[in-house]
Amino acid sequence: AVTAGGAGAAPRGCPNAPLDPDHLYNVLFVGDSHVGKTSFLYRLHADTFNPHLAATVGLDYQIKNLVVDNKRFALRLWDSAGQERYRSMTKQFFRKADGVVLMYDITSAYSFSDVRYWLSCIQEAAEDGVAILLLGNKTDCADERQVPTKEGECLAKEHQLMFYECSAASGHNVFESMVSFIRLLKVREDELKSKAEEAPKPPQKKKGCCW
Amino acid sequence: FCRVDPYGFERPEDFDYASYEAFFSRYLVVLTRRAIKWSKLLKGNNRIQKSLKVKRYIRKGIPNEHRALIWMIVSGAQTNMEQNPGYYHRLLEGEKNDKLLEAIKTDMNRTFPDNVKFRKTADPCLQHALYNVLVAYGHHNKAVGYCQGMNFIAGYLILITKNEEESFWLLDALIGRILPDYYSPAMLGLKTDQEVLGELVKMKVPAVAELMERHGVMWTLVVSRWFICLFIDILPVETVLRIWDCLFYEGSKIIFRVALTLIKQHQAFILEATNFPDICDKFKQITKGTFVTECHSFMQKIFTDPGSLSMATINKLRETCREKLLSQG
């Protein structure tokens, strides 16, 4: 018999993790093949580095519960295959996402130059005002760095993205970037809510025909 | 039972050895009976013709010692290999596309990291064979090149055939003939088949189709890996091999049979889901447990549970789904 459980269980190191979250966000991870999307998610989930992860095929997902600013957040984190031909499949999902984490590898100039391509995909397919986090992964490989921090910062500024450099291998900035991103997602949610309230209600149709 | 299975895969830490042993001791009886039947069928001359009897035999499982040979024969890979002597080696010696090599290299350490035979430290290390087969295939079928997912399929073929050239020709049979355009850059065949499955679920398990629609869960989110990897890393190894036995003989229809069986069998369980993530989670759960581990009874079920499934129906659905996808752009 099949038993449920696992994905929704409280992760380690987060004893107060909620079962009933106050806020729930869909976050999609995109970026070129082998930049470290799955490793980042693994670090977030298990707080260790797993160098033996298989290449992601299609789409995969996991749930992460976090408490930030005394509020309980549940993130549905969607991991996607980075290879070019899978992008058309990933695109279908942009519409569902509240936030997108766009990852590149600081040791690969190529993966950084593809960031613009990914941004155009997001702009084309996602809802307006979707929160985007630009993440430069693999800061532990400082000797092989090809993308200066400045360049990431500039690109983020140009497109108004949140920006971090991180390392799934060392754990550097993994939780920090996610916590900041959650705060941004919360702000965006509040903005959307107040916009919806401000929006003028459609005029009520007159009832009856003999008025 | 050992920490590593006969194919080299490390068993997960939470592997249930007791229940697997119970299953395997029963399955061993089946395997022995099938082995005797097969050796009578082959009578030592290693040639078979497609026939109803062979089809029935294959549905009941090909013994491991004959698996590579039978896959080669029934898929047409053997004929192609014999008609093109030296072709595989010429591909490897020919000029190479650097971008293709780079894409393949990236995935070498990321193909079956849980299999000891694919470790860099293994001797022989199957990564070399895997690299060669994928490079040769990418240059043979330039329209497809290399698509992530093919690495896992080629890896399985190498584990079973223990032969690069045979793996190459079997990969060609799968990608070139058996599967309709899953791996080319547009992946249209893959997208089509995911939609076809959706239509079949509408017909055969309507409550599940309705649930998916109500919560806006796209089929691609839950089944893309089933199609792309032909159930590798989704179902247990032994079950995958039994499915592939039929896939090589009967074609891509088998994938729908397996998918429909999984969904239909767990209908009540799936219908417990009340939201989007729940549904996704259920689809992960239904590929685990004794129902799929018991490969012999599972294979019987795929031919009875989903009911009739004619190639005419599938072709018709493929046509309409493809049209729809193309019109959506």
Side-chain angles (χ1 to χ4, degrees), chain B residues 249-312:
Chain B
Y249 191 99
E250 299 184 47
S252 55
K253 173 164 113 165
I254 295 299
I255 304 169
F256 294 112
R257 286 205 166 275
V258 173
L260 286 169
T261 305
L262 287 170
I263 294 167
K264 200 167 178 187
Q265 174 73 24
H266 298 95
Q267 177 171 195
F269 177 74
I270 295 169
L271 291 174
E272 284 169 18
T274 54
N275 55 43
F276 186 100
D278 259 10
I279 295 170
C280 299
D281 199 44
K282 298 279 183 193
F283 271 86
K284 272 193 186 175
Q285 298 292 334
I286 63 173
T287 59
K288 299 185 171 82
T290 48
F291 181 66
V292 295
T293 306
E294 306 248 352
C295 56
H296 201 61
S297 55
F298 181 77
M299 289 308 286
Q300 283 173 332
K301 290 213 173 69
I302 74 163
F303 293 106
T304 53
D305 273 21
S308 82
L309 187 64
S310 74
M311 212 50 225

Side-chain angles (χ1 to χ4, degrees), chain A residues 3 61 83 85-86 88, chain B residues 144 146 148 183 191 284-285:
Chain A
T3 52
Y61 96 107
Q83 201 187 7
R85 64 189 74 182
Y86 281 102
S88 64
Chain B
V144 167
Y146 171 67
Q148 285 181 326
Y183 306 97
K191 290 176 196 159
K284 272 193 186 175
Q285 298 292 334

